[in-house]
Amino acid sequence: MHSFDITDPDTYIEMEAWERLRSIIDPELHVNIIDLGLVYTIRANSALRMLVVVMTLSSPSCPVGEAILQGVANCLEARFADYKTDVQLTWEPVWGFDNITEEGKKQLWG
Amino acid sequence: MNMITKQHPELYPIVRAHYLASAVCFVLIGVLFFFASADFAGHYFQPKLLAITHLAALGWVTMVIFGAAYQLVPVILETGLSGYRLPWLSFVAFLSGLVLLVCSFWRFEPGLCMQGGALLLLTGMLGFTIVIFLTGKRLKNKKENIHQEMINTSCIWLLATGILGVLLVFNLRYAFLPQDHLQFLRLHAHMGMGGWFLLLVIGVSSKLVPMFLVSRKQNLQLLDWVYYLLNGGLLAFVIDTYLEGINNRTYLIALLPAAAFIIYFIYLIQCYRSRMKRKLDLPMMYTVLSFILLLAALLIQPLIINAHVQNTTQGIALTKLYGLLVLMGWLSLLILGQAFKTLPFLVWLKIYGPGTGKEPTPLPSDLYSQKLLIIQGIAFTGFILSMITMALSGLATPARIASGCLLLTALCYLLNLTRVLTHKKTTGHA
C-alpha cells in the first residue's frame, strides 16, 4: 500500500504517476497494471529530477513483460519529460492474486 | 534477479512460416476431402485417406505445433530458444518431406519419393526435438518441471512415431516387418496421437489454460499422475499389441490413458472453477469444446476394442470416426481457437510492444476478426456433424457436405490468420 505525505511536493508527482499508469493495460487480462497490483512503489525526487518505479510482473515468463515495462517508461517519460524515469523490476515480494485490487477483481470477473 | 524472457527478433518469421504453411495445408485438406468423398465409405488403409491423414497429422497439426512450440516453450520454460537456424532447417526438411510423402501416398507410389519424403520428415522432427531439448538445457532453474517433462517425452514419442513411419514406408516396398502392416500402423497412429499430440497438448495447455483463466488453483500433483498413467498406458499398449494384437487385455490397458484423461479433466475443472476471469472469449470457448470432442473419441475406444476382439466389421467405421474425431475434431478445434490466443500476441508485441504507453493501442484480441471466428465456428460445427454421419453411414452426400464445411472453415481460418499477420499499425482501440 502506498502512502502520501501532503507536505511533500513530490507526493503530487507520485500521485499523478500512479494515475497515469492506469492507462497501461495488460493486453491479455484487459486490466490496468495498477489494479493488477504490479506496481509496488513510485518515488519522485524533484531535486534530482528522478522518478523511480519499482514493479513486478505476474511471472518472469510473462510474454508481454517487456512491453509492459517499456509502456511504464514511455508513459511517464511522455508526462514528466524533464524527469529521468527509472523502472526497476523486482521479484520480491512475488506477485500473487492478493495483489489485485477489488476494482481489478471486478474488472476480471466482468 | 530482474531478468525477463524477451522476444527474440528472429522468432517471429519462424513462427509465421509455420502457422502459414499449416493453414495452407488445412485448406488443401478441405479440397482433397472433396475429391476423396467416395473413398471414406471404404477401409481407412487406402491411398487417398493415407494422404489426407498425413497431410492433417503432419502438415496441419504438427506444423502448427512446431510453430506454437517455438513461441510457447520459451514462455513455459522461462528461457530463450536455444537457436534460430535449426528451426528453419527443420522447417524446410519437414515441408519438403511432407510434399513428397503426401503426393506419393495420393498416387500410391511406394518408391524413392515416398521413402525420401519420410526420411526428410524424420529429419525435420529430429531438428525440432534437438531445439526443444537444447532449450530445456538452458534452464537456470534445474528444478523438475512437469510441463517440461511432458514436452520432452512427447518429442521422444514423436521421434518414435517418425521412425516407425519410415519403417512402414520402406515396408511397403520391401515387406521386411515381422508382422501385419496394419498392426504396425495401429501402433504408429497411437504413438503419434497419444504420445506426441496428447502429451504435448497436455504439457502446454496445463500451463497456458490457468494463465489465460487467471486460476488461483493449479494442482500440479495431478499432472504427475497424468504423465505416468498416459506413458504407462501407451507403453503397455505398444508392447502388448505388438506381441498379441488387440485382445481382452487391451480393455485393461485402455483404462490407464482413460484414467489419465479423467485426472487431467479434473485438473482443468479445478483451474476453471478457481478462475478470476469469468468470461471466456471465443478462442477459449473453442478450446473448451475441443476437449469434449476428445472425450467423445475416447468413449469410442472400448467399442473399437470390442469390434476387434469380436472380429466384426463395425471396427473399420468406428476407427475412422475415432481418427477423425481426434485429428479433425479435437486437434483442429484446439488449433482454431488457440491460434487466435497466441499468434496475435506475437504480432502485437512486434508492432506495438516498443510504443506501448505513448498512445492508445489496440489489444491483441483486436487483431483478428470476431465475425470470421464465428463463421469459422459455425462451419466447423457443420463439418463435425456431417463427418460423424459420414463415418457411421459411409454415404457420399454427408462426405461432400463435410468437405464443403471443412473448406469454409479452413478459408475463414486462413483469412483471419492472414489478417493478423498483415496487421498494420493503428492507434486507439479497434
Side-chain angles (χ1 to χ4, degrees):
Chain A
M1 195 66 194
H2 46 276
S3 57
F4 300 111
D5 176 4
I6 57 166
T7 60
D8 180 1
D10 287 343
T11 287
Y12 297 99
I13 294 171
E14 289 167 8
M15 281 170 72
E16 191 180 345
W18 280 102
E19 284 313 306
R20 286 271 158 184
L21 291 184
R22 286 186 194 278
S23 66
I24 309 295
I25 309 287
D26 180 301
E28 167 55 24
L29 302 178
H30 302 186
V31 177
N32 70 71
I33 59 167
I34 299 296
D35 282 320
L36 281 176
L38 294 177
V39 180
Y40 289 158
T41 58
I42 300 177
R43 288 281 171 259
N45 188 324
S46 47
L48 296 171
R49 315 303 282 175
M50 276 290 289
L51 204 50
V52 180
V53 179
V54 179
M55 64 176 293
T56 192
L57 294 167
S58 56
S59 113
S61 59
C62 174
V64 289
E66 194 186 357
I68 289 177
L69 296 176
Q70 186 66 58
V72 170
N74 287 342
C75 173
L76 296 179
E77 278 163 11
R79 172 61 188 89
F80 306 101
D82 49 345
Y83 277 67
K84 190 176 182 308
T85 304
D86 180 16
V87 182
Q88 297 176 359
L89 181 63
T90 182
W91 300 112
E92 286 166 14
V94 175
W95 181 87
F97 295 115
D98 294 335
N99 288 30
I100 305 175
T101 64
E102 284 308 310
E103 180 55 34
K105 284 174 189 164
K106 263 191 228 165
Q107 285 176 34
L108 274 174
W109 200 239
Chain B
M1 277 303 282
N2 57 351
M3 293 297 287
I4 52 166
T5 311
K6 292 185 179 180
Q7 183 174 304
H8 196 282
E10 285 182 61
L11 180 67
Y12 178 71
I14 294 171
V15 177
R16 181 180 56 190
H18 282 83
Y19 270 85
L20 273 178
S22 160
V24 170
C25 287
F26 193 34
V27 174
L28 277 175
I29 293 166
V31 175
L32 295 183
F33 218 89
F34 179 79
F35 288 110
S37 301
D39 298 80
F40 280 97
H43 197 280
Y44 52 84
F45 188 70
Q46 52 174 303
K48 287 179 182 167
L49 296 199
L50 277 176
I52 293 175
T53 307
H54 283 84
L55 188 59
L58 300 169
W60 164 227
V61 182
T62 300
M63 183 72 87
V64 83
I65 286 180
F66 281 3
Y70 292 139
Q71 180 189 355
L72 298 174
V73 166
V75 173
I76 291 167
L77 303 185
E78 302 180 3
T79 184
L81 210 60
S82 62
Y84 295 88
R85 198 174 296 165
L86 196 50
W88 276 120
L89 292 173
S90 159
F91 175 74
V92 172
F94 195 83
L95 190 61
S96 39
L98 180 73
V99 173
L100 290 176
L101 189 83
V102 170
C103 289
S104 44
F105 267 146
W106 188 264
R107 293 187 302 189
F108 208 71
E109 292 170 352
L112 266 180
C113 254
M114 196 185 281
Q115 292 157 5
L119 286 169
L120 278 168
L121 279 163
L122 185 62
T123 310
M125 292 171 189
L126 187 64
F128 171 78
T129 306
I130 292 171
V131 174
I132 298 301
F133 272 76
L134 289 181
T135 301
K137 288 255 181 242
R138 288 164 60 114
L139 271 178
K140 290 181 189 82
N141 179 4
K142 297 284 178 192
K143 220 174 88 179
E144 266 189 46
N145 176 335
I146 187 65
H147 309 287
Q148 188 191 357
E149 287 298 322
M150 284 188 179
I151 293 167
N152 285 348
T153 312
S154 73
C155 287
I156 294 169
W157 279 112
L158 170 71
L159 281 183
T161 310
I163 290 167
L164 186 52
V166 169
L167 292 176
L168 282 167
V169 162
F170 279 86
N171 192 55
L172 286 174
R173 172 56 70 92
Y174 304 108
F176 59 90
L177 287 175
Q179 291 187 37
D180 179 17
H181 192 91
L182 285 183
Q183 184 91 321
F184 284 102
L185 192 69
R186 210 169 282 135
L187 298 181
H188 172 65
H190 278 87
M191 283 156 74
M193 284 199 275
W196 165 233
F197 294 137
L198 190 57
L199 199 58
L200 186 89
V201 167
I202 289 177
V204 174
S205 63
S206 57
K207 179 86 177 181
L208 293 186
V209 168
M211 205 161 105
F212 287 138
L213 295 178
V214 199
S215 305
R216 282 175 178 272
K217 189 171 181 180
Q218 290 176 55
N219 190 348
L220 295 180
Q221 274 184 331
L222 289 181
L223 295 180
D224 288 337
W225 280 99
V226 172
Y227 178 81
Y228 290 111
L229 283 168
L230 191 57
N231 282 301
L234 266 171
L235 272 176
F237 175 80
V238 169
I239 295 166
D240 190 62
T241 309
Y242 173 72
L243 294 172
E244 305 278 345
I246 290 185
N247 58 72
N248 280 321
R249 251 194 325 271
T250 316
Y251 286 111
L252 288 175
I253 293 170
L255 287 177
L256 297 175
F261 183 71
I262 290 167
I263 294 171
Y264 181 60
F265 213 62
I266 292 170
Y267 171 84
L268 288 179
I269 289 170
Q270 285 180 350
C271 289
Y272 183 79
R273 283 194 172 160
S274 65
R275 76 196 190 281
M276 296 186 77
K277 198 175 176 184
R278 185 175 62 172
K279 269 177 79 177
L280 293 186
D281 52 22
L282 213 47
M284 281 308 282
M285 289 270 278
Y286 289 166
T287 305
V288 171
L289 291 173
S290 77
F291 280 96
I292 295 171
L293 291 174
L294 174 63
L295 186 65
L298 292 177
L299 288 174
I300 295 173
Q301 264 188 349
L303 302 176
I304 297 175
I305 299 169
N306 183 56
H308 279 286
V309 171
Q310 305 291 330
N311 216 3
T312 63
T313 50
Q314 270 187 326
I316 293 168
L318 288 170
T319 305
K320 274 188 292 187
L321 181 60
Y322 172 72
L324 283 166
L325 276 173
V326 171
L327 256 185
M328 299 311 296
W330 167 53
L331 288 166
S332 294
L333 191 54
L334 190 67
I335 297 168
L336 293 173
Q338 281 301 301
F340 298 105
K341 212 63 201 151
T342 53
L343 192 64
F345 269 92
L346 201 67
V347 178
W348 184 88
L349 279 172
K350 182 174 171 285
I351 298 176
Y352 298 106
T356 44
K358 283 182 183 164
E359 56 200 0
T361 54
L363 294 168
S365 53
D366 295 324
L367 268 56
Y368 59 83
S369 157
Q370 287 283 340
K371 271 185 196 162
L372 270 176
L373 208 58
I374 292 169
I375 299 171
Q376 175 195 284
I378 295 167
F380 188 77
T381 309
F383 165 68
I384 289 291
L385 294 176
S386 44
M387 181 194 79
I388 293 171
T389 317
M390 170 197 84
L392 293 176
S393 68
L395 296 171
T397 312
R400 285 198 193 95
I401 298 170
S403 69
C405 291
L406 183 64
L407 191 57
L408 180 61
T409 310
L411 288 172
C412 287
Y413 174 75
L414 180 62
L415 208 64
N416 224 353
L417 202 74
T418 313
R419 188 188 159 107
V420 173
L421 292 171
T422 55
H423 178 82
K424 296 276 179 289
K425 192 173 181 178
T426 56
T427 53
H429 292 271

